[in-house]
């Protein structure tokens, strides 16, 4: 929620879809991943 707000994306609330989409073109979707600095792997 915080990342989508900072980036100006529209949040997608469904767990089965991407995290957010472009507010003007909903076909453009974004998935946010994070990881610990210096570590390998990603957290969804």
């Amino acid at each position: 929620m915080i990342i989508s707000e900072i980036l100006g994306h529209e949040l997608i609330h469904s767990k089965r879809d991407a995290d957010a989409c472009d507010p003007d073109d909903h076909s453009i979707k974004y998935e946010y991943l994070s990881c610990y600095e210096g570590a390998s792997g990603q957290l969804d």
Side-chain angles (χ1 to χ4, degrees):
M1 293 170 65
I2 295 168
I3 298 298
S4 66
E5 185 175 321
I6 290 170
L7 296 175
H9 299 158
E10 186 173 319
L11 185 65
I12 298 174
H13 297 278
S14 172
K15 178 64 178 159
R16 298 184 190 266
D17 204 347
D19 294 323
C21 63
D22 186 279
D24 299 319
D25 184 352
H26 289 186
S27 69
I28 301 172
K29 296 185 178 184
Y30 304 100
E31 185 73 26
Y32 307 130
L33 300 172
S34 60
C35 67
Y36 293 109
E37 188 174 340
S40 61
Q42 297 175 332
L43 304 171
D44 182 7

